[in-house]
């Protein structure tokens, strides 16, 4: 005997009530914790984007000319310069012909010396400027030339020759030229990949194998700056490096303590804000428009033994919840909002369970209602943690809900209580169960 319609509906109602009771019991455990976490989270549309870091797409490049230095109109002599000095009949003695020096240097670097290996011939004999800025010449002895131009040096040598009655006034023939300019030897350490071949990897693949590069270069005076150091060692940092670099002074008296990555990031020009290492200067290569540069002209000039350090970029967000757990790299120059982050984490903001339609192939009707809530755990600059709640249904039409994802964010895709109950209800009343409920006697 078949059952009446009233008895069938009564059976379904009783089963539904039982499911509601089970759902109520379940909310006292893990589900209650999730709902509580979401209730105490800050809605994304209430947050001002200016509270967090400047948008990556809004960053402007640094005026790269500020990484160099102006070249003076005339070379100023200092320790390390090699001069060619010629005094007719005196230096060299008993020399009727003018000595000619060929300024040559083997080319073993990509850029220096400029204009090839042979610069040009010059007259005179080579004299190197000592550490105290003086040179030694026959008869007149030591002569201080520190800070003088070539023309001023000729006048000083001529005056000393006349004072010592070595030559007659009006008959002197003195020539001074720059044979080899002084150089500053610096080290450039780069953690970006020097290989020009770029390999694309899947979004969840984290490259843990990385090779950097390092070069020791000699920068001629007036070109001993960050601009020329970058140009001679591969150019601007690649996309696997941060858009910043650090100048570590050799003469700053750094202590022997290790510094963490957070301390390195906090140290600014001149050591302000970092008491432990005042000789570390941070130079950003991009910044928010209209912001002042956090370094000075003196900061980009490199001295003997300085180190230019280009760090590797380590910017990831963590995916979890209904998303496959992973550590997903963030693009360097583009912003990623919450919906794009779900897609990068191999999810789908509009698909079942945050996945593509393939999950329905072997699933049940309980996978029909897609998740529409995202919790973002974000660590603030002062170390505190903020929980941000995003409504994906609202994000489809409200740009304020599509919050930007920052490095080290934890992005967890979840079901709302109503959606979780709906999916559980459909899972309980699968197609076979409903058919049995309506056909059993």
């Amino acid at each position: 005997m078949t059952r009446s319609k009233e008895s069938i509906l009564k059976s379904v109602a009783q089963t539904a009530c039982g499911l509601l009771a089970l759902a109520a019991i379940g909310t006292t455990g893990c589900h209650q914790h999730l709902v509580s976490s979401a209730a105490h989270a800050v809605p994304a549309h209430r947050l001002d984007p200016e509270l967090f870091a400047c948008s990556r797409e809004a960053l402007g490049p640094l005026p790269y000319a500020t990484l160099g230095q102006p070249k003076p109109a005339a070379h100023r002599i200092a320790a390390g310069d090699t001069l060619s000095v010629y005094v007719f009949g005196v230096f060299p003695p008993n020399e009727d012909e003018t000595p000619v020096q060929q300024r040559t240097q083997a080319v073993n670097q990509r850029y220096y010396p400029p204009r090839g290996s042979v610069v040009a011939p010059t007259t005179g004999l080579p004299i190197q400027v000592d550490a105290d800025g003086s040179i030694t010449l026959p008869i007149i002895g030591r002569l201080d030339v520190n800070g003088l131009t070539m023309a001023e040096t000729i006048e000083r040598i001529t005056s000393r020759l006349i004072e010592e009655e070595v030559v007659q006034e009006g008959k002197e023939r003195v020539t001074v030229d720059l044979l080899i300019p002084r150089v500053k030897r610096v080290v450039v350490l780069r953690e970006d990949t020097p290989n020009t071949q770029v390999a694309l990897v899947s979004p969840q693949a984290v490259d843990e194998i990385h090779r950097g590069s390092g070069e020791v270069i000699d920068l001629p005076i007036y070109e001993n700056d960050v601009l020329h150091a970058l140009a001679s060692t591969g150019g601007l940092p690649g996309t696997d490096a941060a858009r910043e670099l650090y100048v570590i002074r050799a003469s700053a008296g750094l202590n022997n303590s290790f510094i963490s990555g957070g301390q390195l990031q906090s140290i600014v020009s001149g050591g302000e804000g970092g008491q432990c290492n005042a000789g570390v200067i941070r130079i950003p290569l991009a910044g928010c428009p209209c912001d002042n540069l956090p370094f000075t002209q003196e900061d980009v000039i490199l001295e003997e033994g300085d180190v230019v350090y280009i760090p590797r970029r380590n910017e990831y967000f963590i995916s979890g919840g209904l998303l496959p757990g992973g550590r997903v790299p963030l693009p360097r120059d583009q912003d990623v909002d919450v919906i794009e982050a779900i897609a990068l984490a191999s999810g789908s903001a509009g698909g079942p369970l945050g996945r593509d339609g393939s999950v329905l192939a072997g699933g049940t009707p309980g996978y029909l209602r897609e998740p529409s809530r995202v919790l973002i755990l974000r660590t603030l600059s002062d170390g505190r943690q903020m929980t941000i709640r995003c409504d994906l249904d609202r994000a489809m039409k409200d740009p304020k809900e599509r919050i930007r994802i920052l490095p080290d964010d934890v992005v967890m895709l979840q079901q709302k209580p109503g959606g979780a109950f709906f999916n559980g209800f459909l899972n309980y009343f699968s197609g076979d169960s409903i058919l049995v409920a309506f056909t059993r006697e």
Side-chain angles (χ1 to χ4, degrees):
M1 176 179 178
T2 59
R3 301 174 60 188
S4 64
K5 183 184 295 184
E6 290 78 6
S7 63
I8 294 176
L9 293 177
K10 183 178 180 180
S11 175
V12 173
Q14 290 175 350
T15 308
C17 291
L19 183 60
L20 287 173
L22 291 175
I25 296 174
T27 56
T28 61
C30 179
H31 291 289
Q32 183 183 17
H33 176 70
L34 293 178
V35 173
S36 175
S37 299
H40 291 84
V42 181
H45 63 273
R46 296 184 181 178
L47 294 174
D48 187 355
E50 300 298 329
L51 293 176
F52 305 108
C54 184
S55 169
R56 295 171 184 260
E57 297 176 358
L59 295 177
L62 178 76
Y64 297 124
T66 58
L67 299 178
Q69 57 180 312
K71 190 173 183 179
H75 181 89
R76 295 286 176 175
I77 299 174
D81 285 337
T82 300
L83 308 177
S84 59
V85 181
Y86 172 61
V87 181
F88 180 74
V90 178
F91 188 73
N94 303 322
E95 185 78 31
D96 294 333
E97 295 182 359
T98 302
V100 178
Q101 299 291 330
Q102 292 290 341
R103 293 182 286 182
T104 62
Q105 181 176 343
V107 179
N108 57 3
Q109 293 174 326
R110 287 191 295 266
Y111 178 76
Y112 296 106
R115 295 178 295 277
S117 60
V118 178
V119 180
T122 182
T123 58
L125 297 179
I127 295 292
Q128 187 171 15
V129 181
D130 295 334
D132 59 355
S134 63
I135 59 176
T136 302
L137 295 177
I139 303 176
I140 61 176
R142 299 187 68 82
L143 187 68
D144 184 18
V145 295
N146 187 46
L148 302 181
T149 64
M150 302 303 159
E152 294 169 346
T153 303
I154 292 175
E155 292 179 1
R156 180 163 295 187
I157 293 176
T158 302
S159 298
R160 287 288 298 274
L161 290 173
I162 295 176
E163 291 176 4
E164 299 292 338
E165 299 181 351
V166 178
V167 297
Q168 294 182 1
E169 186 175 359
K171 295 184 178 181
E172 65 279 356
R173 291 171 56 185
V174 179
T175 301
V176 178
D177 199 359
L178 180 64
L179 186 63
I180 302 175
R182 62 188 182 274
V183 298
K184 303 294 183 180
R185 175 160 292 184
V186 300
V187 178
V188 180
L189 299 178
R190 306 179 64 119
E191 287 192 328
D192 55 342
T193 305
N195 192 357
T196 57
Q197 297 180 355
V198 178
L200 299 179
V201 297
S202 62
Q204 288 183 282
V206 180
D207 181 17
E208 298 294 350
I209 301 176
H210 187 82
R211 183 179 68 88
S213 64
E215 291 191 42
V216 180
I217 56 175
D218 293 332
L219 299 176
I221 192 64
Y222 308 128
E223 294 180 358
N224 56 316
D225 47 52
V226 173
L227 180 64
H228 289 84
L230 288 177
S232 60
T233 56
L236 293 173
T239 55
D240 57 342
R243 300 181 72 176
E244 63 182 5
L245 57 88
Y246 295 86
V247 176
I248 304 175
R249 298 295 189 191
S251 59
L254 300 180
N255 59 35
N256 296 325
S257 302
F258 285 97
I259 56 178
S260 65
Q263 289 175 324
L264 189 63
Q265 294 286 343
S266 65
I267 296 175
V268 297
S269 176
E272 300 173 5
Q275 300 297 326
C276 60
N277 287 284
V280 180
I281 302 169
R282 177 180 178 270
I283 299 180
L285 300 178
C288 295
C290 302
D291 283 356
N292 295 325
L293 298 181
F295 59 90
T296 63
Q297 182 72 56
E298 291 75 17
D299 292 333
V300 302
I301 299 178
L302 304 176
E303 300 297 335
E304 187 76 15
D306 287 350
V307 176
V308 178
Y309 169 61
I310 300 175
R312 188 185 179 190
R313 183 174 63 92
N314 292 298
E315 295 179 334
Y316 303 88
F317 73 90
I318 309 300
S319 61
L322 296 177
L323 288 174
R327 191 164 173 252
V328 186
L330 282 170
R332 189 189 70 171
D333 303 323
Q334 288 82 33
D335 292 326
V336 172
D337 62 34
V338 62
I339 296 181
E340 294 169 336
I342 295 175
L344 284 176
S346 300
S348 175
L353 279 184
R355 307 295 297 277
D356 56 37
S358 62
V359 300
L360 293 176
T364 65
Y367 294 106
L368 289 177
R369 184 65 176 97
E370 75 278 1
S372 56
R373 171 179 289 168
V374 176
L375 292 184
I376 301 174
L377 303 183
R378 176 168 296 174
T379 302
L380 304 179
S381 58
D382 58 1
R384 295 180 300 165
Q385 181 174 281
M386 171 186 289
T387 304
I388 304 172
R389 183 177 72 247
C390 297
D391 189 331
L392 294 182
D393 292 333
R394 182 171 180 171
M396 295 300 177
K397 54 186 178 181
D398 186 0
K400 293 182 180 179
E401 200 74 22
R402 299 182 61 170
I403 189 171
R404 287 187 291 113
I405 302 300
L406 301 183
D408 301 325
D409 280 353
V410 180
V411 180
M412 298 186 298
L413 184 64
Q414 296 181 351
Q415 296 275 2
K416 290 182 180 178
F421 173 76
F422 178 76
N423 284 339
F425 182 84
L426 289 182
N427 279 331
Y428 187 85
F429 288 106
S430 62
D432 295 337
S433 299
I434 296 176
L435 181 61
V436 171
F438 278 89
T439 59
R440 71 180 180 180
E441 295 183 359

